[in-house]
Amino acid sequence: MPLHLKFSLSFLWSAFVLLATLPQVAWSAARSAVEPEAPLNEKIVRVPVQSSPLVTLEVTVYMPAHSAGGGSFPLALINHGASHDPLNAPRVGDQFIPWYFLSRGYAVAMPMLRGYAHSWGHLTPHGCDVLAIGNDAAKDIRKVLDYVKKIPGIDARQIVVAGKSMGGWNTLVFGAQNPADVKGLLNFAGGVKEADCSKPDESLITAAGELGSRTRLPSIWLYGDNDQTFSSATWKGMYAHFTAAGGHAQLVDYGDFQKDARQAYTRYLAATRPRAFAIARDGAWGQASGIDSINAALVQCANGHEECRVYSVDGDVVWAKK
């Protein structure tokens, strides 16, 4: 399937919900887990990114179900965000991410950053030098991509690179290298905030301008107005500087999402098990942990709202098609 980053508005919205918060398909969530129609065909590979000392990254690869029958498939390489507890970060935080792309004929690769989950090594702090932070990650992204695109069944000519939060920023920095084998970039609420940087927002805005002057790949940026990590003034400034410097980007401002464009689901994932997360058609949500968490989440969600359904149980996406 040819890929030129000419995504429809419906794809853009679905893509945002997929990586930054919640998928639209969650309206059909049910109380019991149902296998997605696209089998995940998951395997884990270790990709060497440094020889001395040896550092390998843990990479989860998913292939479309019909890959065994021949043919090749476009690849979506997805970069995850930062965590306050890297060693205990989940290898795949949301199974809907690979399913979404698999169901549309993509192969998926999801590398873990250095020091995250079972990836070796550690990230090097760079303070306010957000370009250096991204450049470190970009080197590893390049090596992971070179490794994964050689896997049988992947079309090395049809690749997009995506990421959310810190992964979105790393994606933009990687894209500034204008890799010839990548068609385009997806930036979901991308950015970096280091504890030892006193002016993180100014650093991002200035650095975005430098990236824009070098980037020739098309990109799509998706941000929310009530994102409490990166304010609208910050990401609008980043986008303005990026495009003014010559970067080719389309901005999708999806406005307010719940109380915070990213935090609701993050808090749910941090809760103890058993846990459940439910959402309503109008965007309301409920979450609960402990005994009968599913019913408690549904009751909380349904307070004044209609058609609440379970989206996730214990971190696994669940739903049933109507």
Side-chain angles (χ1 to χ4, degrees):
M1 55 185 290
L3 185 61
H4 300 292
L5 210 71
K6 295 180 179 178
F7 302 108
S8 66
L9 289 177
S10 61
F11 173 83
L12 291 176
W13 174 251
S14 298
F16 155 66
V17 206
L18 154 70
L19 288 178
T21 49
L22 301 171
Q24 289 179 321
V25 76
W27 309 134
S28 301
R31 292 187 64 166
S32 60
V34 177
E35 289 295 324
E37 290 185 355
L40 296 178
N41 294 324
E42 171 188 292
K43 70 175 180 179
I44 301 172
V45 298
R46 298 209 65 90
V47 178
V49 294
Q50 180 177 305
S51 58
S52 182
L54 178 63
V55 174
T56 65
L57 301 186
E58 182 180 41
V59 182
T60 304
V61 177
Y62 302 90
M63 294 294 294
H66 46 297
S67 60
S72 56
F73 305 92
L75 173 67
L77 188 147
I78 303 169
N79 299 299
H80 67 82
S83 169
H84 294 297
D85 187 10
L87 289 176
N88 292 313
R91 176 171 53 83
V92 178
D94 191 334
Q95 291 289 340
F96 189 83
I97 294 174
W99 176 85
Y100 182 93
F101 285 100
L102 284 169
S103 67
R104 287 154 177 79
Y106 288 79
V108 177
M110 302 178 70
M112 297 301 294
L113 287 165
R114 295 188 184 208
Y116 278 69
H118 292 98
S119 286
W120 299 356
H122 62 273
L123 299 180
T124 301
H126 291 287
C128 289
D129 191 347
V130 292
L131 287 177
I133 294 171
N135 281 324
D136 284 350
K139 294 174 183 177
D140 289 349
I141 293 171
R142 179 68 266 171
K143 292 182 179 179
V144 169
L145 192 54
D146 287 341
Y147 182 99
V148 172
K149 72 179 188 179
K150 295 177 183 177
I151 295 175
I154 290 180
D155 185 350
R157 302 166 301 172
Q158 304 288 351
I159 299 171
V160 292
V161 178
K164 68 172 182 177
S165 194
M166 183 178 184
W169 178 253
N170 293 340
T171 294
L172 291 177
V173 177
F174 172 73
Q177 299 175 2
N178 298 303
D181 52 354
V182 174
K183 295 294 185 180
L185 313 168
L186 289 169
N187 164 29
F188 298 86
V192 180
K193 279 194 174 182
E194 293 295 322
D196 56 349
C197 176
S198 61
K199 298 181 179 180
D201 298 327
E202 293 179 17
S203 299
L204 284 171
I205 292 171
T206 300
E210 186 168 342
L211 292 179
S213 68
R214 305 199 310 256
T215 305
R216 296 297 169 260
L217 287 174
S219 60
I220 298 174
W221 298 30
L222 299 101
Y223 287 87
D225 289 336
N226 61 335
D227 187 323
Q228 294 182 23
T229 302
F230 305 112
S231 69
S232 58
T234 298
W235 55 258
K236 286 179 181 179
M238 291 167 59
Y239 178 77
H241 279 66
F242 184 88
T243 53
H248 303 287
Q250 176 184 348
L251 176 63
V252 179
D253 177 357
Y254 50 83
D256 290 348
F257 188 86
Q258 299 180 356
K259 294 181 179 179
D260 182 346
R262 71 172 67 217
Q263 294 299 330
Y265 196 61
T266 300
R267 288 194 296 271
Y268 155 71
L269 291 175
T272 57
R273 298 188 182 195
R275 64 194 181 198
F277 193 95
I279 55 177
R281 184 176 293 276
D282 62 2
W285 56 272
Q287 68 176 75
S289 60
I291 298 175
D292 200 13
S293 58
I294 293 177
N295 185 64
L298 285 169
V299 170
Q300 183 185 122
C301 172
N303 185 19
H305 302 278
E306 297 181 357
E307 199 172 344
C308 281
R309 297 181 182 273
V310 175
Y311 167 70
S312 176
V313 176
D314 287 341
D316 295 325
V317 173
V318 297
W319 70 89
K321 292 195 175 222
K322 290 185 177 180

